[in-house]
Every structure is written in structure tokens, then in C-alpha cells.
Amino acid sequence: MEHALYAQSGGLRRRRRVNRAVELTSTVAAVLAVAVLLLVVGSVLLKGLGALSIHFLTTPTALFGEEGGGISNAIIGTAIVVALAAAMAIPVGLLVAIYTTEFAPPRIGNPVRFVLDVLNGVPTIVTGIFVYGLLVAGRQQSGYAAAVALAIIMLPIVARTAQEVLALVPATLKEAAHALGIAHWRTTMRVTLPTAAGGLLTGALVAVARVAGETAPLILLCSIFAPGNLTDPREGLATIPIFIFQASESPSPTAHTEAWAAALVLIAFVLVLNLVARAFYARSRQRMEG
Amino acid sequence: MTQIAEQAQQPSQKIPVRAPRPQGPRRERGNVELQALHAWYGANHAVRGVSLGFDAGRVTAIIGPSGCGKSTMVRCINRMHEETASGRAEGEVLLDGIDLYDPAIDVVGVRRLVGMVFQKPNPFPTMSVIDNVTAGLRLTGADKDEVEDRGREALVEAGLWEEVSGRLKAPGTGLSGGQQQRLCIARALAVEPEVLLMDEPCSALDPVATLRIEELIAELKERVTIVIVTHNMQQAARVADTTAFMLSGELVEVGLTEKLFTNPDDDRTEQYVTGKFG
């Protein structure tokens, strides 16, 4: 008295096999991705931790041929260059996003979106050469030039994430504001932007994390600097990526260890930024989903 | 003023359907008249030539099956249909004789006189209870300190004061669903509109919260003309003095609520109110 439901057809066995195979391969891929990150972080920790010290973080790079220097000048330089880039890219990126999501008709908004995606795909060395021709050729390398290049790289990241976040703000909130007789620009400033604030901050932090380790344009724009210049962006500034690049090119094993230590500092900075960004995003989502 | 005077001298060709009025005092302001109103969303002709009056001091319910154009018709009164890129309306919407579609009239002014409450409670999530209530005043230029008293009054009017007086600075989204909807009603009342449009205001609420809103509607009708869209015929019977039945974008029948539900003139109305379709 076997019920038809108990019958084991060949089709069922095949379905189960395929199901298991797909599950297994996708799991392996996921494990692989995590493993790569762990390997990178692990090897940087292993090789860099030995050279990491308060002295290393608070002393400027040693002059050529000397040893025992640190990366304080590179940390300050990266902070200045990235801050200048953020100051240029974040306001412009937010305004672009506000324009395309809140004001522009779709026939303008969609092409702007596409252009931003293309800009996001431009190799950063190309951006570097462009800024080199614009600001450095015939003059000198400078922190400003580096900041302009990083700002160009940040702009599409800030604008695109802000667009996505602004699109998540419920239309019912804007409708409620309009129904109260609140003008559209005011609705945008006082209702839409505050509701999306967490997500907007997330996009900005992700963009900062993305450019903090950017190296290619810096090689062209900001890799020649006087050891004495700590803070003047009108001239070349030391930066962490350039320190890593130059130290790893050096024949000295001490310099190699210092390169790893600098890489550790950079990776820790990026990791912390990403974690903070995630936290803001989680809070913002909660708010928008009510 | 001249417009109103002209209107009196030259009565419009299109006489709106007006239901026989129950006896009682009438407010002078807040009378709405739709004259041959048509509305489109893209190619969709959602409202087809509706002429209808909403009297001050009365509650008018709009009933009809889903997609019959009742929400669209109501959104044309405060020009919310313009928020949709493809939305378009023709005909006249008169508030106390003034054409709200007159190019000289700013849409922001229209919405200050014709408030709206939506299906789902939608308090601003970044604002406190009191800031939500006063948002319409603060964000249209009024000073923050001056508007707080008006905000408190509006909370009293919306029957919410006793429940929230101890947590005016708490987030508006922390209230229960029914309280949030009354907060939205208070927010709409705070700007002192002549007309309050309610688009299925109880569809997201439980029966107890629904009852509270219905009681509130009865209390508010002396103060503000109320137009309520509802898919719930029992609700229309409970709250409305006048009920209008719409079908496929057209106004089928309008009359005193009791008559429309017990002895309608049109067969389609009878079929709808007896549950034969919709």
C-alpha cells in the first residue's frame, strides 16, 4: 500500500543531487572570499606587527640612508590629502544626488546616473594623468593635486550611494510634507535629508575608505616631497600608500618590515571606517523602514 | 473677492450635484465644489466628469470599489495629483467660490487650506511628537517658539494631548499606530485648514484605533469640512452625513448617507451597498 507521495522517481534524485552541488560550490566560493580577506589581514599582521610601535607612528620618515624612522609625516599627509578630497567631493556628490533624485526629470537623471557609473569605472591612473596635465605639468607636485584626483575618484561613489539612499526615503514622507504646504526644497532639506542622514554618512565614509589607500594617482601627483614639509598641501606631502610603495621598493629588509607595518595602519584605518559606516547604515535603515 | 462676486452674478453652467442637507448650523467657509472634474494618470482616465459639492460642517464619505477613482478625485482637491509626473486634471475645484486651479494661485497656499491625512500613518521619523505637529507651521516660515502653543492646541483637537503630554519630545514614530494617525491628524489641523481630506485613514489600524478616529471625525466636523475616502461601507454609514458612490471614475450617486444605504436611486449603488459586487 505504498502511497504515490512515497515514490522515488529518478527526477527527484537528480534534483537533489543538483541542489547539493549548487549549495556546495556556492559555499566554497563564499569561504574562499572570506579566506582571501583573512589571508591578507593575517599576513599583514604577521609581517607588520613587529615593526609597529608608538615610535613608528610618531616619528617622521628617516632621511635617505638612515634607519629608525616612522610614518607620522605620512599619516598626517594622508589625513590632509583625504580631508581636502572629502571636502571637495562630498558636498558636490550630495548635491548631484539631491538634484537627480529630487529635482531632475528622469530623462536627465538617468543619463547623469550612467555618467557617474562610467566615471566610477575610469582607471585611477587615468584620473592621475588627467590631473597631472591639469595641475602638475610645468609646475610641481602637490597635496592639492593629489586631493583633486582623489576627489574625482570619490565623487561618483558619494553621489551614487547618496542616490540609492535618497531613493529609499519613503515617498509617503515627502507626500505628507507637501500636503502640509511645505515647499519642495524645504521638504528636501528638513525631511528627506535628515531621514537619510545615516545612509548618506555611510556613503561618504565608504568613499573615504576607498581613496585612503589609492596609490596610482599619488605616484604621479604627490610622491616627491621635502622631508621637512609636514602640512603644506601647496607642495608634495608624504602619504601612507607612497611610503608603502617606496619602502617596499627599497633593498633594505628593515624598510620591507616598515612597509608591512604601514600597510597594517592603512588596513586598520579602512576596516574601522567600514565598520563605522555599517553601523550608521543599519541605524538609517531602521529609521526609514519605521 | 471679485471672483466670488462674478460667480454670484454669473452662475456656472455646470450645476454640481448637491445632496439634500440635514438641518443644522452651517459654517460659512470651507465649502468645496467640483465642477466637471476629469483626472488622468498618463493615459488612464481615472476621474470622468465628476460634479459634486462638499458642505462645510459636514462629513462626506466617498465609497466605491478599488480603482474607481475615489482617491484620485480627492487628491485633485488639494492638487496632490500634481506630485505624480503623469498626473493631470481638468475642470474646476472651487473652495468658497475660488478656483484652486487658477494659475495665479500657488499650490502651497492650496494645501494650507486643504489638509490631508493618508492611509498609513506617516509621522516624520526624525522629529519629536511636538515637532511633528508643528512641522507645517515651522517649515513654512513660522517661528519655533510661537508655534508650540498652536501645536499643543492641535494635539488637544486631535484627542491626543492626554496620551502624549508627558512625552512631547519623544520621537513621533514611538507612538502606537492609532496614536501616530491621530498625530498626523493633529499635524494637518495645526495649520488650520478649511478642509480635511482623509484617504482611507483607518485602513492600517485595528478596530479600537479605528473607532477612536471615527469619534474624532464626528468631533472635528464642526471645525473643518471633512471628505473621507473609505472602502469600508460600515465606516461610511457610521461617520458620514453625506455619501457619494463612485464607479469607473464616474459619480453614480450622492445623497444623505442613510438614504444611499437604505433606498438608493441607482441600481448600481444598490448592488454595491448590498455587497453584490466590489
Side-chain angles (χ1 to χ4, degrees):
Chain A
M1 286 299 284
E2 188 94 318
H3 191 277
L5 281 171
Y6 291 104
Q8 299 254 331
S9 69
L12 178 68
R13 273 194 294 277
R14 204 187 125 265
R15 252 190 345 263
R16 283 187 175 158
R17 263 206 313 277
V18 172
N19 193 35
R20 208 165 301 148
V22 170
E23 193 181 334
L24 198 70
T25 45
S26 52
T27 309
V28 167
V31 169
L32 217 64
V34 176
V36 167
L37 177 68
L38 288 179
L39 275 174
V40 170
V41 175
S43 60
V44 172
L45 263 175
L46 209 65
K47 294 178 176 167
L49 207 54
L52 202 59
S53 64
I54 301 290
H55 174 81
F56 182 69
L57 293 176
T58 55
T59 317
T61 313
L63 294 176
F64 184 73
E66 292 178 21
E67 291 199 344
I71 56 165
S72 70
N73 56 338
I75 292 175
I76 295 167
T78 285
I80 291 171
V81 170
V82 171
L84 286 172
M88 287 184 260
I90 292 172
V92 177
L94 286 182
L95 285 172
V96 169
I98 290 168
Y99 171 70
T100 52
T101 53
E102 302 297 320
F103 293 95
R107 77 192 151 78
I108 295 176
N110 290 338
V112 171
R113 244 170 231 126
F114 176 70
V115 166
L116 288 171
D117 285 338
V118 172
L119 188 58
N120 198 17
V122 170
T124 55
I125 187 71
V126 175
T127 308
I129 290 173
F130 167 73
V131 176
Y132 182 89
L134 200 69
L135 296 175
V136 175
R139 302 192 190 91
Q140 61 169 350
Q141 295 197 352
S142 68
Y144 281 131
V148 168
L150 296 188
I152 293 172
I153 297 165
M154 281 179 84
L155 179 68
I157 306 171
V158 174
R160 289 294 280 128
T161 51
Q163 283 173 341
E164 302 298 329
V165 173
L166 288 173
L168 282 179
V169 175
T172 54
L173 290 182
K174 299 176 201 172
E175 217 172 30
H178 292 151
L180 286 169
I182 299 169
H184 186 54
W185 69 270
R186 215 159 190 154
T187 301
T188 302
M189 297 306 293
R190 301 291 295 274
V191 175
T192 310
L193 286 182
T195 307
L200 298 176
L201 194 57
T202 303
L205 290 178
V206 166
V208 167
R210 166 76 176 68
V211 299
E214 192 54 61
T215 316
L218 297 191
I219 294 173
L220 293 172
L221 303 171
C222 192
S223 60
I224 302 168
F225 44 86
N229 180 26
L230 278 180
T231 55
D232 186 357
R234 286 171 299 179
E235 294 172 20
L237 286 167
T239 54
I240 301 177
I242 293 299
F243 177 87
I244 296 170
F245 175 68
Q246 290 174 344
S248 60
E249 295 278 281
S250 147
S252 145
T254 327
H256 289 175
T257 318
E258 285 173 1
W260 284 106
L264 182 58
V265 171
L266 189 58
I267 220 170
F269 174 70
V270 170
L271 210 62
V272 167
L273 267 188
N274 273 308
L275 289 175
V276 173
R278 268 184 72 99
F280 277 115
Y281 186 61
R283 221 185 63 171
S284 173
R285 271 191 80 101
Q286 206 179 5
R287 177 174 277 175
M288 284 189 283
E289 283 160 8
Chain B
M1 275 314 281
T2 52
Q3 260 180 326
I4 298 171
E6 278 171 21
Q7 213 96 50
Q9 283 160 11
Q10 302 174 313
S12 167
Q13 297 286 310
K14 307 158 211 152
I15 313 267
V17 182
R18 185 172 292 287
R21 274 183 214 115
Q23 296 303 304
R26 285 197 54 209
R27 286 191 320 126
E28 305 253 315
R29 287 147 66 85
N31 292 292
V32 177
E33 282 184 13
L34 312 183
Q35 295 186 345
L37 181 72
H38 290 262
W40 291 263
Y41 283 119
N44 175 19
H45 194 174
V47 176
R48 299 163 182 250
V50 170
S51 296
L52 180 60
F54 304 106
D55 290 339
R58 307 267 172 258
V59 178
T60 305
I62 316 291
I63 61 169
S66 298
C68 70
K70 52 191 192 297
S71 286
T72 307
M73 187 262 273
V74 163
R75 290 170 74 91
C76 288
I77 301 174
N78 66 342
R79 293 172 57 177
M80 283 301 279
H81 68 285
E82 294 172 10
E83 297 295 312
T84 313
S86 62
R88 179 165 73 84
E90 274 175 19
E92 284 185 330
V93 176
L94 306 174
L95 174 62
D96 297 325
I98 297 172
D99 183 4
L100 298 182
Y101 289 1
D102 187 328
I105 289 180
D106 184 30
V107 66
V108 167
V110 171
R111 290 173 187 164
R112 299 211 59 176
L113 290 177
V114 186
M116 190 163 201
V117 176
F118 298 85
Q119 285 191 23
K120 267 183 71 180
N122 52 6
F124 300 125
T126 54
M127 296 183 197
S128 67
V129 169
I130 190 72
D131 283 350
N132 258 287
V133 178
T134 56
L137 296 167
R138 282 185 297 118
L139 302 188
T140 51
D143 184 69
K144 185 167 178 168
D145 294 327
E146 288 171 15
V147 301
E148 282 221 353
D149 289 339
R150 178 65 203 125
R152 287 163 208 268
E153 276 172 34
L155 283 171
V156 173
E157 286 167 9
L160 196 59
W161 174 251
E162 287 179 11
E163 291 157 69
V164 303
S165 60
R167 44 176 169 158
L168 292 177
K169 303 287 182 196
T173 44
L175 304 178
S176 74
Q179 288 173 330
Q180 286 189 22
Q181 193 62 304
R182 277 182 284 143
L183 180 64
C184 294
I185 293 173
R187 182 172 68 183
L189 290 174
V191 295
E192 303 188 63
E194 303 280 351
V195 181
L196 186 60
L197 309 173
M198 305 179 100
D199 188 358
E200 303 196 17
C202 302
S203 63
L205 303 183
D206 64 63
V208 176
T210 299
L211 184 67
R212 190 71 196 80
I213 302 268
E214 290 179 2
E215 288 168 358
L216 182 58
I217 290 171
E219 289 163 22
L220 289 175
K221 70 176 183 180
E222 294 302 320
R223 192 185 313 268
V224 59
T225 309
I226 293 178
V227 181
I228 176 170
V229 171
T230 178
H231 58 242
N232 180 336
M233 281 184 276
Q234 287 77 26
Q235 179 168 67
R238 286 192 297 264
V239 302
D241 302 299
T242 307
T243 299
F245 171 56
M246 285 181 71
L247 189 62
S248 307
E250 290 171 5
L251 176 68
V252 174
E253 184 169 355
V254 58
L256 291 180
T257 299
E258 201 186 321
K259 172 160 189 313
L260 190 118
F261 279 108
T262 53
N263 185 22
D265 293 329
D266 195 291
D267 287 345
R268 291 169 294 175
T269 313
E270 174 156 18
Q271 285 178 5
Y272 183 72
V273 298
T274 54
K276 296 219 172 73
F277 74 96

